[in-house]
Amino acid sequence: MFPALRQGFRSTSLRAARRPAVSAPFRASPFVRTLVTKRYTQDHEAVAFDDATMTGTVYITDYAQSSLGDVVFVELPTEGTEVTQGDQIGAVESVKAASDIYAPISGTVEAVNTGLADKPGLLNQSPEDKGWLCKIKVKDAAEIDSLMEEAAYKAHCES
């Protein structure tokens, strides 16, 4: 009796394995292309611009944080503030010096990194990731093109 059950089980499992898989009809998902562009100012601020959301994430560059030394205090703009390219939007104080932060682009401040109030050292540890300063809803995307690309910024820092 058992050999008959085993044989019956094997034959059904083999048939199931040989059965072609029925796939769901192909569904084209909407493809959204997002381009994130990083640009730099002469004052060592940078912006990562997302063209899908028209939002720029503002941060200081690695060069700036290393020049400042250990950051002890960060002043940030208020959410909802309208800023114009070149406006002072905050300040960074370190054990060596204090430095103003300028808006690399015009728009409305949508978010600020409130974590910097308790941990200003994030600017030293991770200026581009955890140490971002604010997010600005960009008013004019053409302003991004007026900023330096990475190669030009590196040349600026070396001069």
Side-chain angles (χ1 to χ4, degrees), residues 1 3 6 16-17 23 27 31 33 46 48 69-71 74 76 78 81 83 86-87 90 114 118 134 144 150-151:
M1 179 169 152
R6 269 190 244 139
S23 62
R27 293 185 189 153
F31 181 79
R33 181 174 179 204
D70 293 334
V71 176
V74 180
L76 298 172
T78 308
T81 304
V83 296
D87 285 354
T114 56
D118 297 329
C134 64
I144 299 295
E150 187 173 7

Side-chain angles (χ1 to χ4, degrees), residues 80-100:
T81 304
E82 291 284 329
V83 296
T84 303
Q85 188 176 37
D87 285 354
Q88 180 183 349
I89 58 171
V92 176
E93 292 181 20
S94 70
V95 293
K96 288 184 183 178
S99 181
D100 292 331

Side-chain angles (χ1 to χ4, degrees), residues 3-58:
L5 286 176
R6 269 190 244 139
Q7 183 61 34
F9 177 73
R10 284 186 191 145
S11 62
T12 57
S13 63
L14 287 175
R15 275 186 263 141
R18 290 184 190 146
R19 229 179 271 149
V22 179
S23 62
F26 178 76
R27 293 185 189 153
S29 61
F31 181 79
V32 177
R33 181 174 179 204
T34 300
L35 182 63
V36 176
T37 306
K38 287 186 181 180
R39 295 295 172 95
Y40 304 85
T41 69
Q42 291 184 356
D43 295 318
H44 308 289
E45 291 93 12
V47 62
F49 174 67
D50 183 340
D51 72 340
T53 61
M54 293 296 289
T55 303
T57 303
V58 179

